Amino acid sequence: MDNRILAENLAELYREAAVRYESLPAFATRNKELEWHPVSFRELYERGLDLATGLIQLGVKAREHIGLFGDNRFEWILADYGTQLCGAVDVPRGRDITEDEMIYIINHAQIKVAFVETRVLLRQVQKLKKELPKLKEIILLDPNAEAPKGVHRLDDIIATGAKLRAKGDKRADERMKNIKPDDLFTLIYTSGTTGKPKGVMLTHANMMSQVKVIPISLTCTDRVLSILPIWHIFERVFEVFTISCGVCTYYSNIRNLADDLRNVEPTFMGSAPRLWENLHQRILKRVSEAHPMRRLLFHTAYFLSRQYKNSLFFLFGRELRLKPASVIKRVVLSPLHLLRWIIVTPFYGFFNVAVLEPVRLSAGGSLKATISGGGALPVEIDRFFNYVGIPVLEGYGMTETSPVIAVRLEDHIVIGTVGPALAHTEIRIMNLESGEVIYPNANQPHEGRGQRGEIWIKGPQVMKGYFREPEKTSETIRNGWLNTGDLGMITFNNCLKILGRSKATIVLLSGENLEPAPIEMRLTQSTYIEHCMVVGQDKKYIGALIVPSLEGFRGDGTKAKSLEELVEIPDVKKVIQNEIKKMISISNGYKRFELIQDFRLVGEDFKVGEELTNLYKMKRHVITDKYARLIEEMYPADNAKGGKV
Amino acid sequence: MEFTTQLLYPIDQVLLAVMIFSIMFGMGASLTIDDFKTVVRYPRGILIGFLSQFGLMPFFAYSLAIFFELPPAYAISIILIGCLPGGTTSNMFAYFARGSVALSIAMTTASTILALLMMPILLEFYTEEFTRQISEEMMLAGTGTEFVIPTSNIIMSLVLVLVPVAMGMFLRYKSPLWAKTAEDTAGFMGIIVIIYLIGTAFARHSGLMLQTPVEIYLSAISVGLLGFLFGYWMSRLFRLSPIFQRAISLETGIQNGPIAFAIILLSFAEPIQSQMLWLAILYSTFIVMTSSFITLYYRRVGKFDFEVYKNTTIHNRLFGDSYVTHYPGGYLPKRISKDPSQGSIPAQKRP
């Protein structure tokens, strides 16, 4: 069914999509609740060509870097079309870009022409004018905003290009012919969780290799709802993939998500774990508020589904296998699982139809599967959606690998892993201390499966390098192998399991190593905890900074109006203390040195762009700097008082 | 095969009554006044559905009775089943079979009301020969007078069964949330009671299932299957869209079992009551299985058409009624290339 368009470069892909899909909608944006505006593949391509011609007229050279500052909107895609079709490279960044980042990126990437989304952003750029000596031309994307003198409007550039094309201007077509697979299509500055931004150079070949092998099947009857920032490579690759499949992408946002899910009834969706956590909590909340009969029905359905799927997973070898399979165990257990499966199936059938289907309807009802990336998905949430019948394909990747390295397969989901490596991608697990290859290694037991180490990858998706940073490039890529900086292992059914960042590892004074991420993930599942960061590098014990959840405490009837007020209430500290004790305990499988000995409440939420990246990952160094005083408090020379767990 | 004891004990009868009540209540809880209005929206579908439900099904039931030379009590029972209106379970199956749920609901609604008129006429027409047989047997045994189909009782039972439906509709009108719960609970209770009845019947009349002649099984299973098959082909012959074909097929084969129980319990007496009930129980059991398999099959074959239908109608919902979706040349198979919205959006129809 799936006949995605394959091409040598993005411009060619855009052209082929216009030829094949013509008037089918490519993108749709919402005006009012039920009023959406579609733009067809043909229209998008023609206007893209106009824009490309207009840009050439403006003086944009082939392979020149063009800034693209803004968030998801149709004009963003149009700007990207224009850029690709004139053989240039875009340097994208979201609306939340800080002034420092803007100065750094524009100067470092040597940007002469930049698209700017809104008036607010425009003012920001103009304010920094003195520090941006190379920036010559600015193009305003928002069609409803007035452009001040010296700033171009997107529509004007398009109109200029259209006139030139009508007179027979073929310069854009010439440019398209001269794009080489090894040319860049984008230069993405990673917000990074450490250090200053690095410009990741991604080529047309990188992108096309992804489009070719993404193991998801979409056709022009599918609908994709988009809520992730478009300038991030995960969303970007996904949108190019949808273009190649003729799928229409509908732009949504967090605020309207519930409505849009119902109206658009997406068949596929890409998202960060945060959204699934959100949806999970919403569903559970609705269940807990329903009256007892409905609750009973839901829990029965969930229980049956778990029995059914667990047996099914076992019979098809899809359970998480961290240890070698024992033949005896399989022989003994298989008939038992088969029996359970046969008994449960009719009941599961009824409850799946009567109870779980309405739950699925709250997510639109047509979702065939969803993809989660940009962070680890808590395993409880992962299980929940798979049991409820919305398969979540967790993927793994990074900007430097444009981005997919591994992703679960629709018909072979192994919960707790990120699936097998993508086609043409090789994965190595390396010993952190000795630097030896653990997997694949014929000398290791089971070729090195089930042993943890640092993940290195090699494949057509690996970036060309960091722009103007050869040392950093050679630190990261050695002999074609890219160091992901993540810890992981290969399971016995050949899936990759991620075990945390090798760099985020906290080494305690005692020399014990621990991964903060799993502990943080566990804690943030408490309804009372919004965010949490574990600290303790080179200390005797670990501590935690905790942003309590105002919503969670409100559910309990607190009168606090803001987080600041909330953290002042003594009971709040007690509640959190109990939560930590309950969740992170020896009896829950944590080691003694993983127990949180002390914590501090933070009266200010972590914000995207400051403490959090756009994918809600914590920027540890930013938080560490900002709350240095609070952290120090937890480690006084003598024993600390108060707040102890 | 003779029932030496009663098939159902008084306690079972009470349970059955509770089940009938709750299922019919649940059916009402799933209906709104708007569903009656949709009947008008699909005149062609409804008409063809009517022909297959009240034309084909009773005829098949009669033919099966003749073909398998069923004893008269079983023959009357299977004809009764053939004349029943559609049940709400068919709506659920239509949904999962990627059929038109709106048409399924409309057909259920229309047939339930029409049954008041059609059932007595059809029963009178098809069972004549078998009532005569029973009368002759009874004469020979010297037990009774002439046996006739208790028409007025049947109409009364039908009306009685519609009372909980009306109550359910009232609940739905007052509180949709409670109505949804009532609907699910009723479905669940229905399953439990059916399992209980089969279980006890099996336990009490040990060997009942083994004693039952194979032709009774065959007729209980085939009446539904024939309904599926011919409901499908009939609507296909009349060139209805695939989503309507699937809905009509399921609607034709799946009858409202609880109404059969109610009629048998309220209108017929021993010695034929137990035999009639047994066939109704067999039908209700097998129809769940056969329609599950048919649904899985339809789900698979209808996947592509349904995705096209869904995507096309969503385009119109979001982009306006006049939006026309042009799929790439050769993408759509011939059966839906003239109208990817399968009859639901006028603008999508092309010459």
Side-chain angles (χ1 to χ4, degrees):
Chain A
M1 273 313 192
D2 169 8
N3 40 20
R4 57 187 83 174
I5 295 173
L6 299 176
E8 291 280 305
N9 58 58
L10 274 168
E12 193 187 319
L13 176 78
Y14 292 166
R15 189 185 61 213
E16 290 305 311
V19 171
R20 189 183 298 176
Y21 305 122
E22 281 289 343
S23 77
L24 272 181
F27 289 90
T29 46
R30 151 223 263 272
N31 310 333
K32 289 183 211 143
E33 201 205 332
L34 251 181
E35 225 184 271
W36 290 69
H37 179 69
V39 177
S40 72
F41 285 95
R42 170 59 63 188
E43 196 183 339
L44 183 56
Y45 177 69
E46 293 299 331
R47 290 189 64 196
L49 267 183
D50 292 344
L51 177 59
T53 311
L55 288 174
I56 294 170
Q57 187 67 17
L58 204 63
V60 173
K61 302 271 180 305
R63 295 171 199 88
E64 183 176 323
H65 300 165
I66 303 181
L68 179 44
F69 305 114
D71 286 347
N72 304 23
R73 67 186 300 147
F74 167 66
E75 286 77 13
W76 196 103
I77 288 294
L78 191 55
D80 176 57
Y81 259 68
T83 310
Q84 302 306 334
L85 297 179
C86 76
V89 180
D90 49 39
V91 185
R93 196 61 196 233
R95 216 184 281 161
D96 53 13
I97 184 169
T98 64
E99 294 186 353
D100 289 344
E101 285 171 334
M102 196 176 261
I103 297 169
Y104 182 82
I105 291 171
I106 292 179
N107 289 330
H108 189 262
Q110 299 156 327
I111 290 170
K112 294 193 209 93
V113 178
F115 293 103
V116 171
E117 186 194 358
T118 57
R119 277 302 293 261
V120 181
L121 213 51
L122 180 66
R123 266 196 291 273
Q124 197 180 331
V125 179
Q126 286 179 321
K127 206 176 83 187
L128 303 172
K129 197 99 199 190
K130 274 196 200 118
E131 293 170 81
L132 306 169
K134 292 203 182 94
L135 184 66
K136 294 279 178 318
E137 313 280 358
I138 300 173
I139 304 165
L140 186 62
L141 289 183
D142 185 353
N144 301 317
E146 279 293 315
K149 234 181 142 215
V151 173
H152 305 279
R153 292 182 68 242
L154 183 70
D155 287 347
D156 296 339
I157 306 273
I158 291 173
T160 313
K163 260 184 222 145
L164 288 167
R165 278 185 66 214
K167 281 183 201 148
D169 189 323
K170 294 259 184 257
R171 282 180 292 174
D173 301 77
E174 288 299 316
R175 287 275 178 93
M176 281 167 69
K177 271 185 214 141
N178 290 321
I179 299 173
K180 305 274 178 305
D182 198 36
D183 285 345
L184 304 191
F185 78 95
T186 193
L187 178 57
I188 299 179
Y189 281 80
T190 55
S191 50
T193 42
T194 48
K196 66 180 182 201
K198 285 176 285 190
V200 178
M201 298 190 286
L202 296 179
T203 65
H204 288 278
N206 286 148
M207 175 62 103
M208 292 307 134
S209 77
Q210 293 266 300
V211 170
K212 193 167 157 192
V213 299
I214 287 176
I216 295 166
S217 188
L218 294 179
T219 70
C220 46
T221 50
D222 282 298
R223 292 170 302 285
V224 169
L225 198 65
S226 151
I227 56 165
L228 287 180
I230 172 71
W231 63 272
H232 189 270
I233 189 67
F234 174 38
E235 178 68 18
R236 183 98 177 261
V237 129
F238 202 65
E239 290 194 10
V240 172
F241 178 61
T242 57
I243 291 172
S244 90
C245 297
V247 175
C248 182
T249 299
Y250 297 78
Y251 279 135
S252 180
N253 52 41
I254 291 286
R255 198 157 36 99
N256 296 322
L257 184 64
D259 283 339
D260 292 346
L261 278 171
R262 238 189 353 261
N263 290 328
V264 174
E265 298 183 40
T267 57
F268 207 92
M269 217 172 130
S271 184
R274 182 84 183 177
L275 174 103
W276 305 117
E277 284 177 34
N278 201 311
L279 209 59
H280 172 244
Q281 284 196 343
R282 269 218 308 255
I283 293 173
L284 285 191
K285 193 165 167 239
R286 207 159 347 135
V287 169
S288 71
E289 281 167 0
H291 71 90
M293 189 65 210
R294 280 210 79 74
R295 226 162 22 202
L296 181 73
L297 285 172
F298 176 80
H299 288 302
T300 316
Y302 188 76
F303 171 80
L304 287 169
S305 178
R306 205 172 66 204
Q307 308 296 319
Y308 173 85
K309 297 231 159 111
N310 280 347
S311 285
L312 205 64
F313 277 26
F314 184 89
L315 292 170
F316 286 93
R318 279 161 48 186
E319 78 279 24
L320 181 61
R321 281 208 213 143
L322 302 180
K323 294 203 176 76
S326 141
V327 179
I328 300 169
K329 214 168 130 192
R330 278 206 92 71
V331 168
V332 174
L333 286 182
S334 289
L336 293 177
H337 274 287
L338 189 66
L339 189 68
R340 178 166 82 167
W341 182 76
I342 291 170
I343 294 172
V344 166
T345 300
F347 297 98
Y348 164 76
F350 171 74
F351 277 96
N352 178 36
V353 163
V355 184
L356 295 182
E357 179 72 7
V359 174
R360 289 194 286 266
L361 281 178
S362 67
S366 294
L367 279 177
K368 292 179 194 164
T370 62
I371 191 161
S372 174
L377 188 67
V379 75
E380 284 83 1
I381 289 165
D382 192 356
R383 284 208 190 101
F384 178 85
F385 282 104
N386 279 297
Y387 291 152
V388 162
I390 302 176
V392 179
L393 310 178
E394 194 178 2
Y396 166 66
M398 52 204 294
T399 309
E400 285 84 342
T401 58
S402 49
V404 188
I405 294 172
V407 65
R408 290 182 200 164
L409 307 176
E410 263 174 278
D411 52 1
H412 196 90
I413 291 174
V414 180
I415 293 176
T417 73
V418 294
L422 223 55
H424 315 305
T425 303
E426 291 173 73
I427 292 182
R428 268 185 187 170
I429 305 291
M430 309 281 279
N431 190 318
L432 264 179
E433 277 92 48
S434 66
E436 276 169 25
V437 179
I438 299 175
Y439 173 92
N441 184 343
N443 297 326
Q444 293 279 348
H446 311 287
E447 286 183 34
R449 290 187 184 86
Q451 294 187 54
R452 68 190 264 156
E454 200 168 35
I455 304 166
W456 289 64
I457 85 133
K458 186 180 190 175
Q461 71 270 56
V462 173
M463 63 168 177
K464 206 171 176 178
Y466 294 116
F467 185 55
R468 289 171 61 197
E469 310 221 49
E471 302 88 39
K472 276 191 182 148
T473 306
S474 55
E475 263 171 41
T476 312
I477 304 176
R478 277 175 226 158
N479 301 328
W481 286 89
L482 177 129
N483 178 3
T484 63
D486 288 314
L487 294 176
M489 65 164 73
I490 300 290
T491 68
F492 283 83
N493 34 10
N494 291 330
C495 291
L496 180 64
K497 181 169 174 56
I498 308 297
L499 299 159
R501 285 290 293 168
S502 53
K503 285 166 196 158
T505 310
I506 293 175
V507 185
L508 291 172
L509 207 57
S510 55
E512 311 263 28
N513 285 339
L514 68 92
E515 291 309 316
I519 300 175
E520 288 159 357
M521 212 144 84
R522 184 83 190 91
L523 283 174
T524 43
Q525 269 162 45
S526 159
T527 43
Y528 300 110
I529 299 175
E530 185 71 31
H531 295 288
C532 144
M533 187 175 99
V534 170
V535 295
Q537 178 68 33
D538 301 327
K539 304 283 184 197
K540 272 187 187 157
Y541 49 82
I542 61 168
L545 289 176
I546 285 172
V547 182
S549 164
L550 192 53
E551 220 173 284
F553 279 99
R554 271 201 187 132
D556 279 6
T558 184
K559 286 186 198 77
K561 285 195 190 64
S562 65
L563 263 178
E564 272 179 320
E565 274 178 48
L566 187 71
V567 297
E568 295 303 323
I569 303 172
D571 277 355
V572 170
K573 194 150 195 177
K574 231 175 244 159
V575 170
I576 301 258
Q577 189 166 348
N578 286 333
E579 286 286 294
I580 295 178
K581 254 190 192 161
K582 199 174 72 194
M583 294 176 132
I584 312 296
S585 65
I586 303 266
S587 55
N588 279 350
Y590 290 92
K591 301 195 184 76
R592 188 155 294 280
F593 63 86
E594 289 177 319
L595 300 184
I596 293 172
Q597 302 291 331
D598 200 353
F599 71 93
R600 286 291 177 277
L601 296 180
V602 175
E604 197 186 328
D605 202 0
F606 290 170
K607 281 184 233 30
V608 171
E610 284 180 37
E611 292 94 344
L612 303 175
T613 71
N614 282 64
L615 288 164
Y616 298 98
K617 276 192 218 160
M618 288 187 288
K619 297 184 192 167
R620 291 180 189 275
H621 68 289
V622 173
I623 299 170
T624 310
D625 287 351
K626 187 165 174 184
Y627 296 104
R629 200 182 49 81
L630 278 181
I631 295 171
E632 271 164 37
E633 262 180 48
M634 287 190 272
Y635 303 102
D638 53 331
N639 272 340
K641 290 186 287 286
K644 279 246 178 187
V645 178
Chain B
M1 180 186 80
E2 288 294 320
F3 286 89
T4 46
T5 51
Q6 255 190 321
L7 179 65
L8 296 182
Y9 292 179
I11 170 79
D12 302 338
Q13 300 207 4
V14 172
L15 265 178
L16 198 56
V18 170
M19 179 193 99
I20 295 166
F21 181 86
S22 55
I23 287 187
M24 295 313 282
F25 187 83
M27 172 175 174
S30 71
L31 289 177
T32 61
I33 300 292
D34 283 344
D35 294 326
F36 289 89
K37 292 182 191 156
T38 53
V39 173
V40 192
R41 271 182 54 206
Y42 303 102
R44 241 167 84 87
I46 294 282
L47 187 73
I48 292 158
F50 172 80
L51 285 178
S52 53
Q53 264 182 308
F54 290 119
L56 291 179
M57 274 301 266
F59 175 71
F60 290 146
Y62 173 79
S63 313
L64 283 170
I66 298 287
F67 182 78
F68 287 118
E69 296 175 348
L70 294 184
Y74 291 104
I76 295 174
S77 186
I78 195 127
I79 292 167
L80 173 72
I81 288 168
C83 299
L84 288 171
T88 30
T89 32
S90 62
N91 308 346
M92 195 175 78
F93 281 113
Y95 174 82
F96 283 95
R98 309 187 208 261
S100 165
V101 180
L103 179 68
S104 181
I105 293 176
M107 278 175 70
T108 305
T109 319
S111 64
T112 305
I113 291 170
L114 279 171
L116 284 171
L117 177 72
M118 295 306 294
M119 276 190 74
I121 299 176
L122 288 167
L123 278 175
E124 199 76 59
F125 180 73
Y126 282 114
T127 57
E128 202 198 334
E129 190 183 324
F130 302 104
T131 50
R132 208 187 59 236
Q133 281 180 30
I134 292 181
S135 298
E136 280 167 10
E137 276 173 27
M138 286 162 101
M139 294 284 198
L140 277 177
T143 44
T145 48
E146 204 177 346
F147 176 81
V148 284
I149 290 287
T151 308
S152 58
N153 274 3
I154 288 176
I155 297 178
M156 274 305 293
S157 333
L158 269 171
V159 173
L160 208 62
V161 162
L162 290 180
V163 172
V165 176
M167 285 164 67
M169 284 183 70
F170 183 70
L171 176 73
R172 169 71 180 256
Y173 173 71
K174 283 283 170 201
S175 159
L177 218 72
W178 274 94
K180 185 78 194 92
T181 309
E183 205 188 318
D184 292 349
T185 316
F188 185 50
M189 277 180 64
I191 290 194
I192 297 288
V193 174
I194 283 272
I195 289 174
Y196 170 81
L197 287 178
I198 295 172
T200 51
F202 193 62
R204 268 193 222 126
H205 311 274
S206 53
L208 182 57
M209 289 196 171
L210 292 174
Q211 284 169 30
T212 307
V214 68
E215 55 264 29
I216 291 188
Y217 279 117
L218 283 178
S219 45
I221 298 172
S222 352
V223 72
L225 286 179
L226 285 172
F228 294 140
L229 190 67
F230 283 87
Y232 176 80
W233 277 103
M234 178 130 153
S235 43
R236 193 162 168 180
L237 215 66
F238 281 97
R239 293 167 170 269
L240 290 183
S241 319
I243 50 167
F244 291 140
Q245 292 168 11
R246 290 191 286 274
I248 290 178
S249 164
L250 284 166
E251 192 70 29
T252 309
I254 300 175
Q255 306 286 58
N256 197 330
I259 293 189
F261 291 128
I263 290 177
I264 295 169
L265 283 180
L266 295 172
S267 317
F268 291 90
E270 293 297 351
I272 65 165
Q273 195 192 50
S274 283
Q275 297 178 9
M276 289 184 73
L277 270 177
W278 181 233
L279 189 70
I281 291 178
L282 287 180
Y283 168 79
S284 305
T285 313
F286 284 116
I287 198 70
V288 177
M289 298 182 203
T290 49
S291 37
S292 297
F293 285 116
I294 293 279
T295 298
L296 287 176
Y297 171 71
Y298 279 162
R299 208 177 152 68
R300 179 165 295 189
V301 298
K303 187 167 180 278
F304 180 77
D305 290 1
F306 192 75
E307 279 171 8
V308 173
Y309 156 78
K310 195 93 198 194
N311 191 49
T312 312
T313 48
I314 287 173
H315 280 175
N316 287 96
R317 183 163 81 209
L318 302 176
F319 308 152
D321 285 338
S322 55
Y323 186 85
V324 183
T325 313
H326 294 283
Y327 292 97
Y331 182 76
L332 296 181
K334 224 175 131 204
R335 59 185 179 274
I336 49 171
S337 62
K338 288 266 163 61
D339 183 2
S341 78
Q342 300 196 26
S344 46
I345 314 280
Q348 296 282 7
K349 217 173 184 148
R350 44 212 80 173

